Amino acid sequence: MIMTTSKPGETVEPGALGRVTFLDGKGDLPMLEISTRWSAAEIYLHGAHVTHFQKKAEPPMLFLSQCSRFAEGQPIRGGIPVIFPWFGRREGLGQHGFARLKTWELKEVVPAPDGSVSVRLRLPDGPEAAGFPRFTAEYIVTVNQALTLQLVVANPARDAEFTFENCLHSYFEVGDIATASVVGLKGLAYEDRVGACVAGRESADALRVAAEVDRIYQDSTGPLEILDPSLGRKIRIEKQGSASTVVWNPWVAKSRQLADFGDEEYRRMICVESGNVGPASIRLLPGAASTLTVKLSTEPLK
Ligand code: BG6
C-alpha cells in the first residue's frame, strides 16, 4: 500500500500503532510528524531535514539547537542537514550546497506491515541547479527502531557526466562532550580544517573532543560508534556508499560566532557526518545513479 499525503493537517494511519501527520511546524514550515511503535521523528520539507528522532523511553538521538532558525533561505541548525551538491564553501555559491535550503517535494508516505514508515522526497528543479549538468535527487527516510536515510542521485543525461559531493550532516545529542568519544576512525587519514589545514592520521581508538574539531576523514567506510557514558548509550552509524566521515564540534569561540547556535550547546552535541567529500566526490557517468545509505541506531552502553 502506498499513501501520499500532501495537505497540512492531514493524518494517515500507516499500520500498527503508527501515525503520520502533515502539519505546519516551526516558522510555519511544513513538516511531517511520524510516530511508530518504537520511535518518533520529525521531517521538514525545508531541506528534507530530519530534525528529530527519538526512541521510546530514551532521550532524543539528534541534537537540535534552541537558537535554530526555521525560515525560508536559512539552514536549520541541528538534526540532519542534507548537504548536496557540494560540501563546504564554493566560490560565489555559498556553503554546503543548496539542497538544505530548498523545499523538497513530498512524493510518498509508505507504511510497512511491521509498523515502519518510509517517506520519499524529491529535490525540485530550480535556478540554483542551472550551473550543473541535469540530475535528480531523492531522499528516502525510514523510521522504525532505527532511522535509515538514503540519498539517491541519478544522472539522466545521455552524454554528460555529473560530479558532486554529498553529506548527511548528522548532529547527535550527547549528555556531556567531555566524556563522549567516537570509535571507528583509528588509522584513517584526515584533513584538519581548524586553522591552517593540516593532514594527519587518526591514532585514537576512541576520539575525544576537548577543543574545536573540524576533520574530514577519508576511506571511512566502516561502522562508527559514539560512546556516551553520560546518557548511558551508544549511537551506531552504519553506512554504504560513503567514503568520508566529517567530525565537527565548534567548541567555545566558534559557538559564540554562530548566530543560530547557543554559546553552551557545544557541550551536548557532536556532528559525525557521512558522505563523499573532496577527493571522494562522486562522478556519475551518463545514465548512472548512486545511493548514500546511513542507518542510525542506539543501544544501551554496557
Ligand atoms: C561542517 C564543516 O561540516 O559544517 C565545518 O566541516 C562547518 O567547517 C560546519 O563549520 C557547519 O557549517 P554551517 O554552514 O552549517 O555553519
Side-chain angles (χ1 to χ4, degrees):
M1 178 170 46
I2 294 175
M3 277 188 254
T4 302
T5 175
S6 57
K7 293 189 216 79
E10 192 175 344
T11 298
V12 293
E13 303 285 343
L17 303 173
R19 188 182 166 88
V20 182
T21 307
F22 191 40
L23 39 83
D24 289 334
K26 294 181 186 155
D28 288 334
L29 297 175
M31 61 98 105
L32 289 166
E33 201 177 64
I34 298 170
S35 83
T36 70
R37 63 178 135 123
W38 309 275
S39 58
E42 292 177 4
I43 308 171
Y44 279 75
L45 302 192
H46 178 65
H49 202 122
V50 179
T51 53
H52 177 66
F53 176 79
Q54 183 169 18
K55 264 165 60 181
K56 287 190 175 161
E58 264 192 31
M61 180 177 74
L62 301 176
F63 163 87
L64 179 64
S65 173
Q66 301 284 327
C67 306
S68 178
R69 299 173 176 123
F70 283 83
E72 301 281 353
Q74 301 282 350
I76 294 170
R77 177 71 69 193
I80 309 180
V82 176
I83 307 302
F84 172 81
W86 70 89
F87 179 91
R89 289 218 168 276
R90 198 172 274 194
E91 191 74 36
L93 288 175
Q95 166 121 324
H96 281 346
F98 51 79
R100 66 177 178 167
L101 301 176
K102 298 285 291 180
T103 303
W104 289 54
E105 293 162 4
L106 177 59
K107 303 305 281 186
E108 282 177 337
V109 175
V110 184
D114 71 351
S116 301
V117 176
S118 288
V119 171
R120 184 165 66 87
L121 302 138
R122 185 184 171 93
L123 183 65
D125 296 334
E128 304 83 356
F132 293 83
R134 215 152 54 87
F135 64 82
T136 62
E138 291 204 334
Y139 192 45
I140 298 142
V141 178
T142 301
V143 181
N144 45 40
Q145 300 96 321
L147 176 67
T148 305
L149 313 152
Q150 288 173 285
L151 181 64
V152 184
V153 177
N155 176 3
R158 291 226 178 111
D159 43 16
E161 293 181 358
F162 174 45
T163 300
F164 64 92
E165 296 171 286
N166 60 11
C167 191
L168 299 180
H169 191 310
S170 318
Y171 288 73
F172 296 102
E173 173 107 19
V174 294
D176 182 1
I177 192 67
T179 55
S181 58
V182 183
V183 173
L185 298 165
K186 189 175 183 182
L188 299 178
Y190 63 79
E191 179 195 333
D192 193 328
R193 292 194 164 189
V194 177
C197 281
V198 290
R201 191 167 290 278
E202 187 55 68
S203 58
D205 287 319
L207 176 72
R208 284 182 182 257
V209 176
E212 182 181 350
V213 60
D214 189 356
R215 289 184 183 175
I216 301 175
Y217 291 85
Q218 298 293 5
D219 298 317
S220 173
T221 53
L224 300 157
E225 287 179 342
I226 300 170
L227 310 183
D228 182 0
S230 175
L231 291 180
R233 85 173 165 193
K234 186 191 310 195
I235 298 174
R236 190 167 166 81
I237 303 164
E238 294 165 90
K239 54 191 192 148
Q240 283 141 29
S242 163
S244 316
T245 297
V246 182
V247 178
W248 183 63
N249 181 297
W251 213 249
V252 179
K254 183 91 187 273
S255 295
R256 291 190 183 138
Q257 287 164 20
L258 296 171
D260 57 348
F261 190 83
D263 288 358
E264 298 294 322
E265 287 185 324
Y266 73 91
R267 295 179 190 276
R268 53 181 194 89
M269 56 72 69
I270 186 165
C271 286
V272 180
E273 313 165 25
S274 302
N276 298 280
V277 169
S281 294
I282 292 178
R283 185 171 143 238
L284 280 185
L285 297 176
S290 89
T291 303
L292 164 63
T293 304
V294 179
K295 180 180 174 194
L296 306 173
S297 57
T298 60
E299 58 185 86
L301 183 64
K302 286 170 205 129

